[in-house]
Amino acid sequence: MATQNRAARLLLRLVGRFITPARFIAGMAVVCFLIAWNRDIALLYGLSSLLLALLLVSWILPIWVLRNIRIHRRQTGVARAGASLQVSYRFISESPLYFLAVAETIPGAERQEHFIPRTDLSEPVTLSYEAPRRGVFVLGHCEVTSSWPFGFIRQKRRVPVNPVTITVVPRVYRIARLPQPHAEHAVAEGADSFLSRGMHSEFAGVRPYRTGDSLKHIHWGASARRQEMVVREYHSFDRPSWLMVVDAGTGSSIGDNEDSTLEYALQIAASVMEYARSHNIRLQVYVNNATTMRLTVEPGTHDIIEHLKALAAVQEDGRQSYQSAIVSALAEQGDVPVLMTVRRDSQEISPGQAGGHLDIVYNDASFTQPMGRYAEGWRQVNPGHFILDLHRLSSLSQVLAS
């Protein structure tokens, strides 16, 4: 019985692949015509004519619907790698549109199609697509088909549509906690000695009041002048600034596409920026690509979406070595920051004059032999130096959240 059921399902699958509704109706029209010709039955002539008319209408009307259609599209919201991408479509036509299908090919994903039973010309239609890859892409032609009114025959037409730039930002993972390295000399050489005698912060400026701010930090004079509540901000010397250097040098990454050390480094950088924002830490991300990108998160920053969009455009085109980029980034800092690096274990670096070092190291061998046993997790080298061992199959969402 089970064998018969499998054979029946296979037969139905084969029949369904080659016998479409349009072919079935055309076959029925031919059969009715031949029977009517042989038996001289007028009713079958009429039925054959009706079926042919049905096919003719199903073939012509979709072309009529698509003849003057135009589409304007744009990205809405923020698209994150591995999540959904929202594209808004505004259809411009002289008549209502029915039974449309819109298909797009997103880089890194297969062709994706959406069926729209009815289109309201006065309101845009927002469709969701899978966005597996980080990057900045241009969507050119999209495929539009119509099967109105009966759904038997689909007609496709290249309709005028505007190219649209799509930005897919890196994935952001929740970081539960980062090690706090302690350098041997917390205050940089030559710093004001007054700050080292128990004074742990200095006045930096004012900013608008936010819910949860302490009333003792309100600057009443500035609030009166601006006619809005403002609070004092301070530079903290107990919580030093952080510097993260991302290696985007030409040929420095290993792995393919989204499974490469550059992509992992950008995901970690995005996650660290969100961590800095939520913990009011000053962070600068230095990317040694062709233009040497510098992204700074200041304490009190509300969101980092513009920084994430900048990371989306990073290409592996830098001309500096990773060690040179670290030296250049440290030289630009006004104080001694905590340094974060993401590198391969075959890359030798020297952190130089940093106020601590968080070193994230990927095992090279894991990219060619991913099923091997490799170390994973944080380990402390000395009070100012922590290493996070990772490999090709490490789950950043689990490692960073632990």
Side-chain angles (χ1 to χ4, degrees):
M1 188 65 179
T3 303
Q4 293 176 350
N5 289 338
R6 285 196 298 270
R9 286 195 296 268
L10 179 60
L11 179 62
L12 289 175
R13 192 179 300 116
L14 292 174
V15 170
R17 181 182 301 176
F18 297 105
I19 301 181
T20 63
R23 290 174 180 174
F24 177 78
I25 293 174
M28 289 298 297
V30 172
V31 169
C32 290
F33 178 79
L34 292 176
I35 294 175
W37 180 277
N38 186 46
R39 300 292 183 178
D40 196 22
I41 302 175
L43 182 61
L44 291 180
Y45 278 118
L47 181 58
S48 177
S49 301
L50 180 61
L51 293 174
L52 290 175
L54 180 63
L55 286 176
L56 185 62
V57 169
S58 298
W59 187 74
I60 292 177
L61 285 185
I63 298 177
W64 179 264
V65 168
L66 296 174
R67 73 192 190 285
N68 292 322
I69 185 176
R70 290 180 293 126
I71 299 177
H72 183 273
R73 58 187 174 170
R74 63 183 181 87
Q75 179 181 356
T76 60
V78 178
R80 299 182 185 274
S84 61
L85 161 68
Q86 306 288 326
V87 180
S88 176
Y89 296 82
R90 181 175 291 278
F91 296 90
I92 304 170
S93 177
E94 298 176 354
S95 57
L97 301 173
Y98 302 93
F99 293 10
L100 289 184
V102 177
E104 298 274 15
T105 301
I106 309 297
E110 296 180 353
R111 177 178 176 274
Q112 303 174 57
E113 183 177 87
H114 288 279
F115 177 70
I116 308 173
R118 183 181 184 278
T119 302
D120 186 352
L121 299 180
S122 62
E123 296 292 336
V125 177
T126 301
L127 304 177
S128 296
Y129 299 93
E130 180 188 2
R133 288 178 54 188
R134 171 202 66 90
V136 179
F137 314 107
V138 176
L139 295 183
H141 169 71
C142 71
E143 183 180 295
V144 181
T145 61
S146 174
S147 57
W148 187 71
F150 303 114
F152 296 147
I153 298 176
R154 299 179 64 180
Q155 295 287 5
K156 179 174 65 175
R157 182 173 179 271
R158 184 183 293 271
V159 301
V161 60
N162 63 306
V164 60
T165 300
I166 299 297
T167 301
V168 182
V169 303
R171 304 185 191 200
V172 177
Y173 300 105
R174 174 184 171 273
I175 298 179
R177 179 171 70 88
L178 288 175
Q180 300 296 319
H182 301 287
E184 294 181 1
H185 303 287
V187 180
E189 184 178 353
D192 190 344
S193 61
F194 174 75
L195 297 175
S196 64
R197 294 195 298 268
M199 189 65 177
H200 300 291
S201 61
E202 68 173 5
F203 179 70
V206 297
R207 61 166 173 80
Y209 174 84
R210 294 195 298 268
T211 302
D213 287 334
S214 174
L215 294 179
K216 68 180 182 180
H217 291 155
I218 294 177
H219 194 305
W220 296 107
S223 299
R225 290 192 298 272
R226 297 189 182 191
Q227 294 299 302
E228 64 173 348
M229 297 285 281
V230 296
V231 296
R232 295 181 178 88
E233 278 201 313
Y234 299 88
H235 286 308
S236 173
F237 294 92
D238 291 330
R239 302 178 68 185
S241 63
W242 292 52
L243 169 67
M244 183 172 185
V245 184
V246 177
D247 187 12
T250 303
S252 62
S253 177
I254 58 174
D256 299 320
N257 299 323
E258 61 268 23
D259 292 323
S260 66
T261 51
L262 174 60
E263 293 303 315
Y264 296 147
L266 293 174
Q267 292 171 18
I268 294 171
S271 304
V272 172
M273 284 197 293
E274 176 58 27
Y275 179 85
R277 184 203 66 80
S278 61
H279 288 76
N280 287 318
I281 298 173
R282 186 183 188 279
L283 166 72
Q284 182 177 87
V285 176
Y286 184 104
V287 185
N288 72 325
N289 58 347
T291 57
T292 309
M293 183 180 296
R294 300 168 182 83
L295 304 172
T296 303
V297 179
E298 298 287 355
T301 299
H302 288 284
D303 64 71
I304 57 169
I305 187 58
E306 294 304 321
H307 293 356
L308 296 180
K309 290 180 178 179
L311 290 181
V314 170
Q315 300 291 325
E316 191 178 340
D317 55 5
R319 293 181 291 272
Q320 275 186 311
S321 68
Y322 196 27
Q323 178 61 43
S324 298
I326 292 172
V327 172
S328 299
L330 285 171
E332 294 180 5
Q333 306 302 304
D335 54 3
V336 181
V338 174
L339 175 66
M340 289 190 68
T341 55
V342 184
R343 63 183 177 90
R344 297 152 39 196
D345 61 359
S346 60
Q347 288 178 297
E348 297 293 336
I349 62 171
S350 174
Q353 295 297 318
H357 185 198
L358 300 185
D359 192 14
I360 301 173
V361 183
Y362 271 93
N363 188 294
D364 284 25
S366 67
F367 286 84
T368 55
Q369 299 175 344
M371 301 308 294
R373 296 178 63 88
Y374 304 102
E376 181 180 280
W378 288 102
R379 55 188 172 94
Q380 185 173 3
V381 179
N382 56 55
H385 187 189
F386 290 82
I387 293 179
L388 174 59
D389 291 306
L390 295 174
H391 54 86
R392 163 66 183 79
L393 298 182
S394 293
S395 172
L396 287 178
S397 61
Q398 295 180 6
V399 173
L400 297 179
S402 61

